[in-house]
């Protein structure tokens, strides 16, 4: 169908000795045997554990080819590939994450702003790496620069930070970073904007935030002590939300 070119890329990069006809016949045969299953224009290995095992084996053996495939896929294809990589054991894809989050990677520094969708997809799979990358980005931006992060870019950063908020090892810094975005609020339409998410984290019995209330109050104190009016605004919003 409309994404047949992706099958062509896979065949070209990983199995160029296989003709297109043989490739399609193999797909049909494996589908009839129940090993592959069809989903719209796509086929995938029917058993997720087997799919992830095979992907992990390929990643370990074919690093250059895997990177070549990622480089030639379109945005939607890359998103699907990242979802699969995010399901693998982190060690299996360690070299890929090293490249993606490395000094010149697509998920490092200001380069993140052009790839917020990718970061959103993988933040939960590699939380420590994602947190480090977001700290490097948001801590380096002024309030004015943070104000310029709008639309899908901002929503993707919120979703990535939410995944880190709800993990014990990343919760404290993720809450602080959410505050940095909230200082530069530019989305007044949704109640779940950065200010709303930040303030809600101070509900004493929030069921998802693992950070002890004492540590949450340390973050609140940091913003209430800052001189800027925007910092004090979000601190007051958090206090109002958290009071019984």
């Amino acid at each position: 169908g409309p994404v047949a070119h992706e099958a062509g890329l896979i065949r070209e990069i990983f199995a160029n000795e296989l003709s297109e006809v043989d490739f399609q016949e193999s797909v049909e045969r494996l589908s009839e045997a129940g090993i592959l299953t069809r989903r719209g224009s796509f086929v995938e290995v029917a058993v997720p554990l087997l799919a992830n095992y095979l992907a992990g084996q390929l990643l370990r053996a074919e690093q250059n080819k895997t990177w070549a495939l990622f480089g030639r896929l379109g945005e939607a294809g890359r998103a699907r590939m990242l979802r699969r990589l995010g399901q693998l054991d982190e060690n299996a894809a360690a070299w890929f994450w090293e490249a993606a989050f490395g000094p010149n990677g697509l998920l490092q520094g200001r380069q993140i702003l052009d790839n917020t969708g990718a970061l959103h997809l993988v933040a939960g799979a590699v939380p420590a790496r994602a947190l480090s990358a977001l700290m490097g980005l948001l801590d380096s931006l002024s309030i004015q620069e943070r104000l310029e992060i709008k639309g899908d870019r901002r929503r993707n950063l919120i979703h990535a930070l939410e995944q880190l908020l709800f993990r014990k090892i990343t919760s404290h810094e993720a809450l602080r970073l959410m505050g940095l975005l909230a200082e530069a609020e530019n989305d007044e339409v949704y109640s779940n904007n950065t200010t709303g998410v930040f303030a809600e984290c101070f509900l004493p019995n929030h069921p998802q935030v693992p950070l002890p209330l004492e540590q949450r109050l340390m973050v609140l104190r940091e913003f209430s002590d800052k001189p800027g009016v925007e910092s004090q605004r979000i601190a007051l919003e958090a206090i109002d939300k958290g009071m019984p």
Side-chain angles (χ1 to χ4, degrees):
V3 289
H5 64 282
E6 291 188 7
L9 283 177
I10 293 169
R11 185 172 57 83
E12 175 188 337
I13 293 171
F14 291 102
N16 59 7
E17 74 285 351
L18 197 65
S19 71
E20 184 176 353
V21 172
D22 289 341
F23 182 86
Q24 293 295 340
E25 286 180 352
S26 296
V27 168
E28 293 298 332
R29 186 168 64 254
L30 291 169
S31 298
E32 290 172 2
I35 296 172
L36 297 182
T37 184
R38 291 187 175 276
R39 298 185 186 279
S41 298
F42 299 92
V43 291
E44 63 181 23
V45 177
V47 180
L49 282 174
L50 176 59
N52 292 341
Y53 170 77
L54 293 172
Q57 292 293 101
L58 185 68
L59 231 66
R60 289 186 176 94
E62 300 286 6
Q63 294 185 11
N64 290 338
K65 290 182 179 180
T66 302
W67 195 249
L69 176 64
F70 186 79
R72 294 179 62 182
L73 286 170
E75 184 177 354
R78 286 186 176 190
R80 287 190 295 275
M81 186 171 174
L82 286 170
R83 284 194 192 96
R84 174 65 66 190
L85 294 178
Q87 294 172 27
L88 307 183
D89 179 276
E90 186 174 346
N91 291 329
W95 67 267
F96 184 93
W97 302 129
E98 286 289 342
F101 287 96
N104 299 309
L106 75 161
L107 297 176
Q108 189 58 255
R110 299 195 180 210
Q111 188 80 350
I112 292 172
L113 294 175
D114 294 324
N115 297 285
T116 57
L119 185 66
H120 166 213
L121 287 172
V122 304
V126 283
R129 293 179 189 272
L131 179 65
S132 177
L134 282 166
M135 289 171 64
L137 172 67
L138 294 174
D139 282 335
S140 71
L141 299 178
S142 66
I143 287 186
Q144 184 56 46
E145 289 172 317
R146 281 175 261 146
L147 271 168
E148 294 170 5
I149 304 174
K150 301 176 181 178
D152 287 343
R153 284 181 171 183
R154 177 169 284 257
R155 300 306 302 174
N156 286 332
L157 289 181
I158 292 173
H159 294 322
L161 283 170
E162 283 180 315
Q163 294 181 64
L164 305 179
L165 270 173
F166 305 143
R167 286 172 165 78
K168 189 172 184 179
I169 61 170
T170 54
S171 187
H172 186 278
E173 283 298 328
L175 181 58
R176 184 182 67 82
L177 294 177
M178 189 71 79
L180 290 181
L181 267 185
E183 278 183 331
E185 186 62 76
N186 58 24
D187 182 357
E188 303 298 337
V189 177
Y190 299 104
S191 61
N192 63 338
N193 57 16
T194 41
T195 301
V197 175
F198 178 78
E200 196 169 79
C201 288
F202 293 90
L203 289 169
N205 297 316
H206 195 298
Q208 291 175 289
V209 177
L211 197 64
L213 185 58
E214 182 180 353
Q215 292 184 41
R216 282 182 267 168
L217 291 175
M218 288 172 59
V219 175
L220 183 59
R221 189 173 295 114
E222 177 183 337
F223 283 95
S224 64
D225 288 346
K226 290 173 74 171
V229 64
E230 290 305 316
S231 304
Q232 304 206 354
R233 173 187 63 80
I234 65 166
L236 288 171
E237 294 247 13
I239 291 169
D240 181 61
K241 191 76 173 181
M243 290 180 67

